[in-house]
Amino acid sequence: MVKKIKTKWQHVTIEASELLDPSKPFTPPDWALAIRGVPFYAFDDYNYLQGQAGNGKSFTMGIYEAVILGAEFGELKYVGKREKPKILHVDTEQSEGNVQLHGRRVYHLAGWEQGSDHRDQYRTLMLRETPSPSDRLAKIIKYCYEYRPDFLFLDGMLDIVEGMNKEEDCNQVISEIGALASVLKMCTIGICHENPSNPKAKDNDGPPKPAGHIGSYSQRKGSAGQGTSKTLDGTNATFKVTPKKVRNKDYEGWCFGIKDVPIVIDGKIYDIGIPYWIGEDFQQQEDDAPDDAETESFITLTNVDTDKNFYIEVSA
């Protein structure tokens, strides 16, 4: 006796595009970013970036955004074929002041004038005040169809899923983000958090685990992934980015540091942490910081609401 399949399949239709045509010309991966000549993130895919809180995930994302927009940053390169690529940066948890600081860093690295309007290439969607995770996801999808970005940076994935520990919810979100990347031909990079290390945990011998099933499904279904970590030498922090999941040639990780750059905002001085390239050495040296980070003249920012609180991220 044949058992009945529970899945309701009678109502679905198989589209012609869902059947692979073996005679169709081969389409190689459309690479977007590379390190030392080795590509690691591609268009048409969902990719992830994971790490514990304060370990440089958002800084790394900002570096990638700046490189895509033309910044020179060590051995990182934008290798995409699309001219003037468009970026949509989505922040789901930070205050407006912190989101502004992220954009200031990107502008600085890209060589753009602070306060200038580059929304033809770089836009930011702030969804902290949208309380429902499902509404956040819906807004992201809607705006992607309207703006048609080449890159979608999602900071962070935990805030767009209703149940972070419900496998069905997490699988659905990752599937929708992956489908969105495929349909709109985007390179999508989502930030996933790692659980803090617990020295008393019995299974603490292994690598840090992602927070919730949304991180686990990112690892399973993401095309490629990287992780961030931090080491301290006194008050100097060095951040390392290492491959977690590779679908192309393996590559070595890379490191960066952060140097405070004084910037004047409507007459007030704020030290904004600007990343700089270190390379493969995980031990930060003070001399590695570029001279312009120490002696840079003040830059006046325009179109800034001075009633907002600006928070400076301090690595400690």
Side-chain angles (χ1 to χ4, degrees), residues 237-250:
T238 302
F239 299 88
K240 187 169 186 178
V241 183
T242 54
K244 289 284 187 181
K245 185 176 183 180
V246 178
R247 289 194 182 273
N248 189 39
K249 182 180 177 181
D250 286 319

Side-chain angles (χ1 to χ4, degrees), residues 12-260:
V12 301
T13 301
I14 306 298
E15 303 292 339
S17 61
E18 295 175 320
L19 291 171
L20 180 63
D21 182 357
S23 65
K24 188 176 181 179
F26 171 66
T27 304
D30 187 8
W31 295 108
L33 288 164
I35 177 73
R36 305 183 191 93
V38 180
F40 56 87
Y41 284 160
F43 293 102
D44 303 3
D45 272 322
Y46 168 68
N47 310 278
Y48 67 90
L49 181 65
Q50 72 175 60
Q52 294 186 16
N55 277 13
K57 299 183 299 298
S58 296
F59 274 101
T60 303
M61 184 173 277
I63 291 169
Y64 289 157
E65 292 171 349
V67 168
I68 292 163
L69 297 172
E72 295 289 336
F73 198 86
E75 297 173 285
L76 282 170
K77 300 293 180 186
Y78 168 63
V79 294
K81 300 174 184 177
R82 308 178 190 188
E83 296 183 1
K84 294 195 69 174
K86 297 161 62 176
I87 294 174
L88 176 61
H89 176 92
V90 179
D91 188 283
T92 61
E93 60 183 9
Q94 297 295 329
S95 66
E96 184 175 355
N98 271 322
V99 178
Q100 286 177 327
L101 280 175
H102 180 90
R104 301 304 182 188
R105 295 187 187 101
V106 173
Y107 266 52
H108 177 85
L109 290 172
W112 287 354
E113 180 183 353
Q114 297 289 343
S116 56
D117 191 345
H118 286 275
R119 282 177 290 181
D120 59 328
Q121 267 195 279
Y122 187 73
R123 297 191 184 186
T124 300
L125 196 60
M126 300 183 296
L127 299 179
R128 181 186 189 179
E129 295 180 7
T130 301
S132 166
S134 58
D135 285 346
R136 291 188 188 117
L137 178 59
K139 288 183 178 182
I140 291 168
I141 294 174
K142 177 180 176 62
Y143 200 72
C144 281
Y145 273 99
E146 292 178 357
Y147 181 50
R148 299 291 175 130
D150 299 293
F151 289 87
L152 171 61
F153 287 88
L154 286 170
D155 187 0
M157 297 298 294
L158 276 176
D159 298 316
I160 62 172
V161 60
E162 291 289 348
M164 60 176 282
N165 288 313
K166 293 182 179 179
E167 290 198 45
E168 184 177 357
D169 289 355
C170 296
N171 184 32
Q172 179 68 23
V173 167
I174 296 299
S175 296
E176 289 195 40
I177 292 297
L180 186 68
S182 181
V183 170
L184 297 183
K185 308 298 181 185
M186 298 185 303
C187 176
T188 300
I189 302 170
I191 281 185
C192 298
H193 291 270
E194 286 179 350
N195 288 319
S197 300
N198 181 3
K200 297 182 180 179
K202 294 181 180 179
D203 59 347
N204 197 47
D205 294 335
K209 296 180 180 180
H213 286 302
I214 190 70
S216 300
Y217 275 95
S218 287
Q219 291 180 332
R220 294 176 193 173
K221 293 194 168 187
S223 178
Q226 294 178 331
T228 63
S229 56
K230 179 176 71 174
T231 188
L232 284 171
D233 180 12
T235 58
N236 293 324
T238 302
F239 299 88
K240 187 169 186 178
V241 183
T242 54
K244 289 284 187 181
K245 185 176 183 180
V246 178
R247 289 194 182 273
N248 189 39
K249 182 180 177 181
D250 286 319
Y251 58 93
E252 296 292 331
W254 56 278
C255 300
F256 67 93
I258 298 172
K259 192 74 175 179
D260 283 344

